[in-house]
Amino acid sequence: MQVGIDLGSRTIKTVALNAGALLQRRVVESGLEPHRQALQLLGDHPRARVVATGYGRHLMQQHANLDIITEIKAHALGARHLFPNCRAVLDVGGQDSKVIQLSENGRIVNFQMNDKCAAGTGRFLEMMAVSLGYDLKQFGLAAGQAQGGTGINSMCAVFAESEVVSLKNMGVPPAEIAGSVHLAVASRLAGMVQKTGDCQHLVFTGGVANNQTLVAMLEKALGVPVLVPEDPSITGALGAALYAGCSCGCSDRFVPT
């Protein structure tokens, strides 16, 4: 058995595989001590080979006998496994967004990360949703129902929130503002994809890919279909589990310290 664990900024994801078949997948909140949450999750698989990825992978390695891989490699492996023709991956998580370009045989040839600003991330969308009185699911639905859009000029999380407040005070309907925020995010993400390279056979991973309105806007901005896994949030954990199944030292065991 192989287990991949993705310690993200907001959630922890695990995927357990046996001979390539999915046995289990779990998503939980990171909590105040993410490594303890992770150790509890891995306790269900004491004899599995484990590979960790995500923000917390180095912290996890301090507390358990496991290997680590980068998020870029994990999402590339996971996306390519789910969509064998995948040539580009757009991963949008809680705190960063990244675009990964793959060769025809699946090798990583280029990537770009946006990790210095919240704009275009799950955290940015969450902040905008709260400002408008929505939860994340309602936020996406409202944006999809908007009839028009009012320009959001700033993609800085702080300034964009100020713009949203100003638009509310001007009497602009919340759904219209929600649509504008989504359009701005879709435009920013599309620009990242286009700057990095070919956007054909693009797979959208990470929790933000559950937002169908954003997916539709991204497709329109890029002019190509966007492929979304059944559960996009576990793609990194899946990639880590796949790596655990093919990397050396498969006799290693998970041992908490």
Side-chain angles (χ1 to χ4, degrees), residues 166-207:
S166 296
L167 291 171
K168 284 195 303 182
N169 291 336
M170 291 167 57
V172 178
E176 184 177 323
I177 303 174
S180 299
V181 171
H182 279 69
L183 281 170
V185 171
S187 176
R188 184 181 182 91
L189 295 177
M192 285 183 62
V193 173
Q194 292 167 333
K195 182 178 179 179
T196 308
D198 188 5
C199 59
Q200 299 291 329
H201 303 292
L202 172 66
V203 177
F204 191 2
T205 67

mmCIF file of all heavy atoms in Angstrom, residues 166-207:
data_model
loop_
_atom_site.group_PDB
_atom_site.id
_atom_site.type_symbol
_atom_site.label_atom_id
_atom_site.label_comp_id
_atom_site.label_asym_id
_atom_site.label_seq_id
_atom_site.Cartn_x
_atom_site.Cartn_y
_atom_site.Cartn_z
ATOM 1 N N SER A 166 -16.627 49.660 -1.555
ATOM 2 C CA SER A 166 -17.086 50.865 -2.259
ATOM 3 C C SER A 166 -18.241 50.551 -3.205
ATOM 4 O O SER A 166 -19.226 51.300 -3.274
ATOM 5 C CB SER A 166 -15.929 51.492 -3.042
ATOM 6 O OG SER A 166 -14.911 51.942 -2.164
ATOM 7 N N LEU A 167 -18.135 49.446 -3.925
ATOM 8 C CA LEU A 167 -19.201 49.057 -4.851
ATOM 9 C C LEU A 167 -20.494 48.746 -4.102
ATOM 10 O O LEU A 167 -21.593 49.099 -4.559
ATOM 11 C CB LEU A 167 -18.759 47.854 -5.684
ATOM 12 C CG LEU A 167 -17.649 48.119 -6.711
ATOM 13 C CD1 LEU A 167 -17.150 46.807 -7.309
ATOM 14 C CD2 LEU A 167 -18.155 49.042 -7.816
ATOM 15 N N LYS A 168 -20.363 48.097 -2.960
ATOM 16 C CA LYS A 168 -21.564 47.823 -2.140
ATOM 17 C C LYS A 168 -22.220 49.120 -1.711
ATOM 18 O O LYS A 168 -23.451 49.261 -1.762
ATOM 19 C CB LYS A 168 -21.183 46.989 -0.901
ATOM 20 C CG LYS A 168 -20.922 45.537 -1.176
ATOM 21 C CD LYS A 168 -20.910 44.704 0.097
ATOM 22 C CE LYS A 168 -19.891 45.193 1.096
ATOM 23 N NZ LYS A 168 -19.852 44.346 2.314
ATOM 24 N N ASN A 169 -21.403 50.071 -1.289
ATOM 25 C CA ASN A 169 -21.937 51.352 -0.826
ATOM 26 C C ASN A 169 -22.554 52.169 -1.965
ATOM 27 O O ASN A 169 -23.362 53.068 -1.724
ATOM 28 C CB ASN A 169 -20.840 52.168 -0.145
ATOM 29 C CG ASN A 169 -20.413 51.557 1.172
ATOM 30 O OD1 ASN A 169 -21.174 50.823 1.801
ATOM 31 N ND2 ASN A 169 -19.191 51.845 1.611
ATOM 32 N N MET A 170 -22.185 51.853 -3.195
ATOM 33 C CA MET A 170 -22.767 52.513 -4.361
ATOM 34 C C MET A 170 -24.071 51.844 -4.794
ATOM 35 O O MET A 170 -24.728 52.298 -5.730
ATOM 36 C CB MET A 170 -21.772 52.499 -5.528
ATOM 37 C CG MET A 170 -20.548 53.380 -5.322
ATOM 38 S SD MET A 170 -19.236 53.032 -6.547
ATOM 39 C CE MET A 170 -20.140 53.304 -8.078
ATOM 40 N N GLY A 171 -24.415 50.756 -4.113
ATOM 41 C CA GLY A 171 -25.663 50.070 -4.429
ATOM 42 C C GLY A 171 -25.557 49.003 -5.503
ATOM 43 O O GLY A 171 -26.581 48.508 -5.994
ATOM 44 N N VAL A 172 -24.341 48.632 -5.886
ATOM 45 C CA VAL A 172 -24.174 47.573 -6.871
ATOM 46 C C VAL A 172 -24.594 46.244 -6.240
ATOM 47 O O VAL A 172 -24.162 45.917 -5.138
ATOM 48 C CB VAL A 172 -22.710 47.489 -7.349
ATOM 49 C CG1 VAL A 172 -22.528 46.351 -8.349
ATOM 50 C CG2 VAL A 172 -22.273 48.813 -7.952
ATOM 51 N N PRO A 173 -25.441 45.454 -6.905
ATOM 52 C CA PRO A 173 -25.912 44.184 -6.344
ATOM 53 C C PRO A 173 -24.745 43.251 -6.017
ATOM 54 O O PRO A 173 -23.788 43.159 -6.791
ATOM 55 C CB PRO A 173 -26.783 43.598 -7.461
ATOM 56 C CG PRO A 173 -27.214 44.780 -8.258
ATOM 57 C CD PRO A 173 -26.068 45.740 -8.215
ATOM 58 N N PRO A 174 -24.820 42.547 -4.885
ATOM 59 C CA PRO A 174 -23.725 41.644 -4.503
ATOM 60 C C PRO A 174 -23.397 40.606 -5.565
ATOM 61 O O PRO A 174 -22.226 40.292 -5.779
ATOM 62 C CB PRO A 174 -24.257 40.981 -3.226
ATOM 63 C CG PRO A 174 -25.210 41.981 -2.656
ATOM 64 C CD PRO A 174 -25.851 42.633 -3.838
ATOM 65 N N ALA A 175 -24.417 40.066 -6.255
ATOM 66 C CA ALA A 175 -24.155 39.053 -7.290
ATOM 67 C C ALA A 175 -23.325 39.635 -8.422
ATOM 68 O O ALA A 175 -22.438 38.967 -8.974
ATOM 69 C CB ALA A 175 -25.470 38.496 -7.826
ATOM 70 N N GLU A 176 -23.584 40.889 -8.773
ATOM 71 C CA GLU A 176 -22.814 41.535 -9.838
ATOM 72 C C GLU A 176 -21.367 41.722 -9.412
ATOM 73 O O GLU A 176 -20.439 41.527 -10.201
ATOM 74 C CB GLU A 176 -23.438 42.879 -10.186
ATOM 75 C CG GLU A 176 -22.765 43.585 -11.367
ATOM 76 C CD GLU A 176 -23.459 44.883 -11.732
ATOM 77 O OE1 GLU A 176 -24.701 44.944 -11.648
ATOM 78 O OE2 GLU A 176 -22.741 45.835 -12.100
ATOM 79 N N ILE A 177 -21.168 42.088 -8.155
ATOM 80 C CA ILE A 177 -19.796 42.243 -7.648
ATOM 81 C C ILE A 177 -19.102 40.882 -7.615
ATOM 82 O O ILE A 177 -17.925 40.766 -7.980
ATOM 83 C CB ILE A 177 -19.801 42.878 -6.243
ATOM 84 C CG1 ILE A 177 -20.514 44.234 -6.258
ATOM 85 C CG2 ILE A 177 -18.369 43.040 -5.739
ATOM 86 C CD1 ILE A 177 -20.691 44.845 -4.880
ATOM 87 N N ALA A 178 -19.841 39.845 -7.196
ATOM 88 C CA ALA A 178 -19.276 38.496 -7.170
ATOM 89 C C ALA A 178 -18.828 38.085 -8.565
ATOM 90 O O ALA A 178 -17.748 37.500 -8.748
ATOM 91 C CB ALA A 178 -20.293 37.502 -6.633
ATOM 92 N N GLY A 179 -19.645 38.406 -9.565
ATOM 93 C CA GLY A 179 -19.271 38.095 -10.940
ATOM 94 C C GLY A 179 -18.010 38.825 -11.363
ATOM 95 O O GLY A 179 -17.149 38.258 -12.040
ATOM 96 N N SER A 180 -17.895 40.077 -10.957
ATOM 97 C CA SER A 180 -16.724 40.871 -11.307
ATOM 98 C C SER A 180 -15.456 40.299 -10.674
ATOM 99 O O SER A 180 -14.398 40.260 -11.309
ATOM 100 C CB SER A 180 -16.921 42.317 -10.857
ATOM 101 O OG SER A 180 -18.031 42.894 -11.501
ATOM 102 N N VAL A 181 -15.562 39.885 -9.423
ATOM 103 C CA VAL A 181 -14.407 39.286 -8.747
ATOM 104 C C VAL A 181 -13.966 38.020 -9.474
ATOM 105 O O VAL A 181 -12.769 37.797 -9.720
ATOM 106 C CB VAL A 181 -14.737 38.985 -7.277
ATOM 107 C CG1 VAL A 181 -13.617 38.171 -6.633
ATOM 108 C CG2 VAL A 181 -14.954 40.278 -6.493
ATOM 109 N N HIS A 182 -14.936 37.181 -9.839
ATOM 110 C CA HIS A 182 -14.604 35.952 -10.551
ATOM 111 C C HIS A 182 -13.960 36.234 -11.905
ATOM 112 O O HIS A 182 -13.004 35.559 -12.308
ATOM 113 C CB HIS A 182 -15.865 35.095 -10.728
ATOM 114 C CG HIS A 182 -16.224 34.281 -9.529
ATOM 115 N ND1 HIS A 182 -16.681 34.837 -8.355
ATOM 116 C CD2 HIS A 182 -16.195 32.934 -9.327
ATOM 117 C CE1 HIS A 182 -16.915 33.881 -7.471
ATOM 118 N NE2 HIS A 182 -16.625 32.710 -8.035
ATOM 119 N N LEU A 183 -14.473 37.231 -12.609
ATOM 120 C CA LEU A 183 -13.887 37.596 -13.898
ATOM 121 C C LEU A 183 -12.436 38.052 -13.737
ATOM 122 O O LEU A 183 -11.562 37.706 -14.546
ATOM 123 C CB LEU A 183 -14.710 38.701 -14.560
ATOM 124 C CG LEU A 183 -16.003 38.270 -15.256
ATOM 125 C CD1 LEU A 183 -16.828 39.495 -15.649
ATOM 126 C CD2 LEU A 183 -15.690 37.427 -16.491
ATOM 127 N N ALA A 184 -12.186 38.832 -12.694
ATOM 128 C CA ALA A 184 -10.834 39.318 -12.448
ATOM 129 C C ALA A 184 -9.883 38.159 -12.137
ATOM 130 O O ALA A 184 -8.750 38.120 -12.629
ATOM 131 C CB ALA A 184 -10.841 40.324 -11.299
ATOM 132 N N VAL A 185 -10.349 37.221 -11.318
ATOM 133 C CA VAL A 185 -9.515 36.063 -10.973
ATOM 134 C C VAL A 185 -9.270 35.203 -12.205
ATOM 135 O O VAL A 185 -8.142 34.761 -12.463
ATOM 136 C CB VAL A 185 -10.178 35.238 -9.850
ATOM 137 C CG1 VAL A 185 -9.437 33.913 -9.647
ATOM 138 C CG2 VAL A 185 -10.206 36.032 -8.549
ATOM 139 N N ALA A 186 -10.334 34.952 -12.988
ATOM 140 C CA ALA A 186 -10.186 34.141 -14.197
ATOM 141 C C ALA A 186 -9.200 34.781 -15.168
ATOM 142 O O ALA A 186 -8.366 34.093 -15.783
ATOM 143 C CB ALA A 186 -11.541 33.952 -14.874
ATOM 144 N N SER A 187 -9.254 36.103 -15.299
ATOM 145 C CA SER A 187 -8.336 36.813 -16.185
ATOM 146 C C SER A 187 -6.894 36.669 -15.709
ATOM 147 O O SER A 187 -5.977 36.456 -16.514
ATOM 148 C CB SER A 187 -8.735 38.287 -16.258
ATOM 149 O OG SER A 187 -7.820 39.020 -17.043
ATOM 150 N N ARG A 188 -6.698 36.785 -14.399
ATOM 151 C CA ARG A 188 -5.344 36.673 -13.846
ATOM 152 C C ARG A 188 -4.792 35.264 -14.061
ATOM 153 O O ARG A 188 -3.636 35.087 -14.465
ATOM 154 C CB ARG A 188 -5.360 37.010 -12.355
ATOM 155 C CG ARG A 188 -3.974 37.005 -11.712
ATOM 156 C CD ARG A 188 -4.083 37.335 -10.235
ATOM 157 N NE ARG A 188 -2.774 37.373 -9.598
ATOM 158 C CZ ARG A 188 -2.023 38.464 -9.482
ATOM 159 N NH1 ARG A 188 -2.453 39.604 -9.984
ATOM 160 N NH2 ARG A 188 -0.852 38.416 -8.872
ATOM 161 N N LEU A 189 -5.607 34.252 -13.781
ATOM 162 C CA LEU A 189 -5.157 32.865 -13.943
ATOM 163 C C LEU A 189 -4.902 32.540 -15.411
ATOM 164 O O LEU A 189 -3.923 31.861 -15.742
ATOM 165 C CB LEU A 189 -6.191 31.908 -13.351
ATOM 166 C CG LEU A 189 -6.401 31.993 -11.842
ATOM 167 C CD1 LEU A 189 -7.512 31.046 -11.395
ATOM 168 C CD2 LEU A 189 -5.106 31.684 -11.086
ATOM 169 N N ALA A 190 -5.766 33.017 -16.296
ATOM 170 C CA ALA A 190 -5.572 32.784 -17.722
ATOM 171 C C ALA A 190 -4.262 33.406 -18.192
ATOM 172 O O ALA A 190 -3.529 32.823 -19.011
ATOM 173 C CB ALA A 190 -6.746 33.353 -18.516
ATOM 174 N N GLY A 191 -3.947 34.581 -17.666
ATOM 175 C CA GLY A 191 -2.692 35.235 -18.023
ATOM 176 C C GLY A 191 -1.488 34.420 -17.593
ATOM 177 O O GLY A 191 -0.493 34.323 -18.327
ATOM 178 N N MET A 192 -1.563 33.804 -16.401
ATOM 179 C CA MET A 192 -0.477 32.945 -15.937
ATOM 180 C C MET A 192 -0.302 31.754 -16.861
ATOM 181 O O MET A 192 0.825 31.386 -17.217
ATOM 182 C CB MET A 192 -0.757 32.457 -14.515
ATOM 183 C CG MET A 192 -0.566 33.476 -13.421
ATOM 184 S SD MET A 192 -0.838 32.753 -11.778
ATOM 185 C CE MET A 192 0.463 31.504 -11.702
ATOM 186 N N VAL A 193 -1.423 31.131 -17.245
ATOM 187 C CA VAL A 193 -1.355 29.961 -18.123
ATOM 188 C C VAL A 193 -0.743 30.336 -19.465
ATOM 189 O O VAL A 193 0.166 29.661 -19.969
ATOM 190 C CB VAL A 193 -2.760 29.354 -18.322
ATOM 191 C CG1 VAL A 193 -2.716 28.241 -19.374
ATOM 192 C CG2 VAL A 193 -3.303 28.803 -17.006
ATOM 193 N N GLN A 194 -1.214 31.406 -20.055
ATOM 194 C CA GLN A 194 -0.738 31.819 -21.376
ATOM 195 C C GLN A 194 0.723 32.246 -21.344
ATOM 196 O O GLN A 194 1.472 32.014 -22.293
ATOM 197 C CB GLN A 194 -1.614 32.950 -21.905
ATOM 198 C CG GLN A 194 -3.035 32.498 -22.234
ATOM 199 C CD GLN A 194 -3.996 33.649 -22.452
ATOM 200 O OE1 GLN A 194 -3.807 34.746 -21.910
ATOM 201 N NE2 GLN A 194 -5.036 33.418 -23.227
ATOM 202 N N LYS A 195 1.136 32.839 -20.252
ATOM 203 C CA LYS A 195 2.532 33.277 -20.128
ATOM 204 C C LYS A 195 3.481 32.089 -20.021
ATOM 205 O O LYS A 195 4.627 32.131 -20.493
ATOM 206 C CB LYS A 195 2.686 34.168 -18.896
ATOM 207 C CG LYS A 195 4.084 34.723 -18.691
ATOM 208 C CD LYS A 195 4.135 35.634 -17.480
ATOM 209 C CE LYS A 195 5.545 36.183 -17.254
ATOM 210 N NZ LYS A 195 5.606 37.088 -16.079
ATOM 211 N N THR A 196 2.985 31.008 -19.410
ATOM 212 C CA THR A 196 3.842 29.846 -19.175
ATOM 213 C C THR A 196 4.014 28.999 -20.427
ATOM 214 O O THR A 196 5.054 28.365 -20.614
ATOM 215 C CB THR A 196 3.273 28.985 -18.035
ATOM 216 O OG1 THR A 196 3.036 29.822 -16.900
ATOM 217 C CG2 THR A 196 4.241 27.888 -17.625
ATOM 218 N N GLY A 197 3.000 28.958 -21.296
ATOM 219 C CA GLY A 197 3.127 28.166 -22.512
ATOM 220 C C GLY A 197 1.788 27.697 -23.043
ATOM 221 O O GLY A 197 0.761 28.360 -22.866
ATOM 222 N N ASP A 198 1.797 26.532 -23.665
ATOM 223 C CA ASP A 198 0.621 25.960 -24.314
ATOM 224 C C ASP A 198 -0.468 25.687 -23.285
ATOM 225 O O ASP A 198 -0.203 25.139 -22.209
ATOM 226 C CB ASP A 198 1.024 24.658 -25.011
ATOM 227 C CG ASP A 198 -0.089 24.084 -25.869
ATOM 228 O OD1 ASP A 198 -1.136 24.740 -26.012
ATOM 229 O OD2 ASP A 198 0.108 22.974 -26.390
ATOM 230 N N CYS A 199 -1.718 26.069 -23.606
ATOM 231 C CA CYS A 199 -2.826 25.843 -22.675
ATOM 232 C C CYS A 199 -3.749 24.725 -23.148
ATOM 233 O O CYS A 199 -4.842 24.547 -22.608
ATOM 234 C CB CYS A 199 -3.617 27.131 -22.451
ATOM 235 S SG CYS A 199 -4.338 27.836 -23.951
ATOM 236 N N GLN A 200 -3.323 23.957 -24.159
ATOM 237 C CA GLN A 200 -4.117 22.810 -24.598
ATOM 238 C C GLN A 200 -4.008 21.686 -23.562
ATOM 239 O O GLN A 200 -2.985 21.507 -22.923
ATOM 240 C CB GLN A 200 -3.620 22.306 -25.954
ATOM 241 C CG GLN A 200 -3.728 23.328 -27.070
ATOM 242 C CD GLN A 200 -5.178 23.625 -27.449
ATOM 243 O OE1 GLN A 200 -6.046 22.766 -27.345
ATOM 244 N NE2 GLN A 200 -5.432 24.846 -27.895
ATOM 245 N N HIS A 201 -5.084 20.927 -23.420
ATOM 246 C CA HIS A 201 -5.125 19.798 -22.473
ATOM 247 C C HIS A 201 -4.749 20.271 -21.063
ATOM 248 O O HIS A 201 -3.884 19.690 -20.396
ATOM 249 C CB HIS A 201 -4.198 18.678 -22.919
ATOM 250 C CG HIS A 201 -4.496 18.159 -24.300
ATOM 251 N ND1 HIS A 201 -5.650 17.468 -24.598
ATOM 252 C CD2 HIS A 201 -3.813 18.274 -25.468
ATOM 253 C CE1 HIS A 201 -5.658 17.156 -25.883
ATOM 254 N NE2 HIS A 201 -4.562 17.634 -26.433
ATOM 255 N N LEU A 202 -5.396 21.344 -20.641
ATOM 256 C CA LEU A 202 -5.146 21.948 -19.330
ATOM 257 C C LEU A 202 -6.002 21.277 -18.261
ATOM 258 O O LEU A 202 -7.216 21.154 -18.405
ATOM 259 C CB LEU A 202 -5.467 23.440 -19.379
ATOM 260 C CG LEU A 202 -5.435 24.205 -18.057
ATOM 261 C CD1 LEU A 202 -4.018 24.256 -17.496
ATOM 262 C CD2 LEU A 202 -5.991 25.616 -18.230
ATOM 263 N N VAL A 203 -5.358 20.856 -17.173
ATOM 264 C CA VAL A 203 -6.057 20.253 -16.034
ATOM 265 C C VAL A 203 -6.017 21.245 -14.878
ATOM 266 O O VAL A 203 -4.947 21.740 -14.512
ATOM 267 C CB VAL A 203 -5.413 18.910 -15.623
ATOM 268 C CG1 VAL A 203 -6.119 18.338 -14.394
ATOM 269 C CG2 VAL A 203 -5.484 17.916 -16.778
ATOM 270 N N PHE A 204 -7.181 21.522 -14.304
ATOM 271 C CA PHE A 204 -7.332 22.474 -13.203
ATOM 272 C C PHE A 204 -7.445 21.672 -11.912
ATOM 273 O O PHE A 204 -8.377 20.891 -11.729
ATOM 274 C CB PHE A 204 -8.594 23.302 -13.455
ATOM 275 C CG PHE A 204 -8.777 24.509 -12.561
ATOM 276 C CD1 PHE A 204 -7.855 24.871 -11.597
ATOM 277 C CD2 PHE A 204 -9.914 25.299 -12.705
ATOM 278 C CE1 PHE A 204 -8.039 25.982 -10.788
ATOM 279 C CE2 PHE A 204 -10.124 26.413 -11.909
ATOM 280 C CZ PHE A 204 -9.183 26.756 -10.947
ATOM 281 N N THR A 205 -6.479 21.851 -10.991
ATOM 282 C CA THR A 205 -6.462 21.109 -9.738
ATOM 283 C C THR A 205 -6.528 22.057 -8.544
ATOM 284 O O THR A 205 -6.437 23.274 -8.684
ATOM 285 C CB THR A 205 -5.196 20.239 -9.632
ATOM 286 O OG1 THR A 205 -4.037 21.089 -9.513
ATOM 287 C CG2 THR A 205 -5.037 19.347 -10.848
ATOM 288 N N GLY A 206 -6.661 21.494 -7.350
ATOM 289 C CA GLY A 206 -6.784 22.289 -6.132
ATOM 290 C C GLY A 206 -8.242 22.557 -5.803
ATOM 291 O O GLY A 206 -9.134 22.433 -6.658
ATOM 292 N N GLY A 207 -8.502 22.927 -4.572
ATOM 293 C CA GLY A 207 -9.876 23.126 -4.116
ATOM 294 C C GLY A 207 -10.655 24.169 -4.894
ATOM 295 O O GLY A 207 -11.876 24.058 -5.056
#
